[in-house]
Amino acid sequence: KVMDEILTAVRQVARTDTTVLLTGETGTGKGLIAQTIHRLSDRKNKPFVHIDCSAITPNLIENELFGHAKGAYTGADEANPGRILQAHGGTIFLDEISELPLNAQAKFLTFVQERYIIPVGSTKLTPVNARVIAASNRDLENFVREKRFRSDLFFRLNVIHFELPSLRKRKEDIYQLALFFCERFSLQHQKPFSGITPKALEVLNNRPRSGNVRELQNMMMRAILFSDDGWITP
Ligand SMILES: Nc1ncnc2c1ncn2[C@@H]1O[C@H](COP(=O)(O)OP(=O)(O)OP(=O)(O)O)[C@@H](O)[C@H]1O
Ligand SMILES: [Mg+2]
């Protein structure tokens, strides 16, 4: 139900160029929704650039995002356009945005407001037309209170906000999702799938799952791989 409402809103928002903020626990589908927004937008044939801020060393992140001029520092033999420019015409998806260091947050705010970037070691403004989607599994408002996240950037990102529900809050979706994954993996791995026994479903419904949909997906993958007769049992 909550998810249906989100998907309806996603369809409406996708066609506009508004900035979208996605929050929710790990594995609730933030990445999937970001891709869906891009796919349903007029930008679908342009790049979708996914940047996981938690996966980049903090002191390299400005280079990675905004690029650098040739000779910006020792060893910068070539200019690097940066990932934001790569998203020109398309969508830039800033994942785990809570992990963006404060100095990079300031630069990113400039981009979100003014739609240009200044590569490291350059003075030239480079206009970039890219739709911004940001995601976080942290409580960003708390980060703002703790001064770990800029409030002005938070308000700029928080235009359209989707909070994706944990699987605990939408138990009614578990069976459909489990079936969907079983059917998919059975096709992918040429394994039989006959059904999920009522006992197995009971376990699925009542087991706490902090990894949310991702964890359910992995469980169904293992269940299909190890089932002999295609029945998913507890
Ligand atoms: N409604 C859904 N239908 C089918 N697959 C889904 C659905 N929601 C999530 N998934 C799948 O579950 C997995 C986890 O989703 P996703 O990576 O989007 O989560 P996330 O919120 O970005 O998690 P994290 O915070 O850990 O990055 C993915 O493989 C995704 O394809
Ligand atoms: Mg993700």
Side-chain angles (χ1 to χ4, degrees), residues 61-145:
I61 209 156
E62 277 192 42
N63 259 300
E64 185 82 12
L65 287 177
F66 306 97
H68 61 73
K70 187 176 170 179
Y73 48 86
T74 322
D77 302 332
E78 303 271 352
N80 164 19
R83 312 273 336 255
I84 295 179
L85 188 55
Q86 282 172 358
H88 189 61
T91 305
I92 181 126
F93 174 38
L94 231 59
D95 208 353
E96 312 294 354
I97 195 161
S98 62
E99 305 312 300
L100 200 61
L102 282 164
N103 52 347
Q105 286 178 30
K107 270 189 101 150
F108 193 67
L109 175 67
T110 305
F111 165 64
V112 175
Q113 283 179 329
E114 315 292 342
R115 299 290 158 177
Y116 64 74
I117 54 169
I118 303 177
V120 175
S122 169
T123 51
K124 212 177 100 227
L125 313 188
T126 310
V128 185
N129 168 2
R131 198 237 188 106
V132 174
I133 304 179
S136 176
N137 56 26
R138 311 301 292 266
D139 181 349
L140 277 183
E141 276 170 295
N142 203 32
F143 268 56
V144 169
R145 274 190 293 274

Side-chain angles (χ1 to χ4, degrees), residues 152-221:
D152 45 10
L153 179 57
F154 174 73
F155 289 119
R156 279 287 171 172
L157 297 174
N158 193 21
V159 181
I160 301 288
H161 175 200
F162 296 118
E163 162 103 48
L164 302 191
S166 68
L167 213 45
R168 295 182 302 286
K169 290 192 189 132
R170 49 176 175 128
K171 285 192 168 178
E172 65 280 6
D173 292 350
I174 291 177
Y175 183 55
Q176 281 304 323
L177 282 167
L179 276 183
F180 169 80
F181 291 135
C182 287
E183 277 158 13
R184 193 165 78 184
F185 295 135
S186 116
L187 271 171
Q188 262 174 19
H189 301 283
Q190 315 280 320
K191 297 283 288 185
F193 173 56
S194 318
I196 301 172
T197 65
K199 275 230 149 57
L201 183 60
E202 205 182 303
V203 173
L204 285 179
N205 278 332
N206 294 310
R207 198 185 124 121
R209 215 172 283 97
S210 52
N212 292 294
V213 183
R214 181 181 293 115
E215 190 176 336
L216 181 67
Q217 178 175 259
N218 293 342
M219 279 177 70
M220 292 304 105
M221 163 90 119

Side-chain angles (χ1 to χ4, degrees), residues 8-100:
T8 305
V10 158
R11 267 179 231 112
Q12 291 167 334
V13 159
R15 275 173 257 130
T16 70
D17 268 344
T18 33
T19 300
V20 176
L21 176 63
L22 305 168
T23 57
E25 289 175 20
T26 183
T28 48
K30 298 182 294 297
L32 191 68
I33 294 286
Q35 284 177 35
T36 305
I37 292 172
H38 176 73
R39 249 192 319 106
L40 295 176
S41 77
D42 295 337
R43 298 171 176 269
K44 60 174 177 285
N45 296 320
K46 299 286 178 150
F48 175 80
V49 175
H50 178 189
I51 299 162
D52 183 348
C53 299
S54 70
I56 306 171
T57 317
N59 57 2
L60 294 182
I61 209 156
E62 277 192 42
N63 259 300
E64 185 82 12
L65 287 177
F66 306 97
H68 61 73
K70 187 176 170 179
Y73 48 86
T74 322
D77 302 332
E78 303 271 352
N80 164 19
R83 312 273 336 255
I84 295 179
L85 188 55
Q86 282 172 358
H88 189 61
T91 305
I92 181 126
F93 174 38
L94 231 59
D95 208 353
E96 312 294 354
I97 195 161
S98 62
E99 305 312 300
L100 200 61

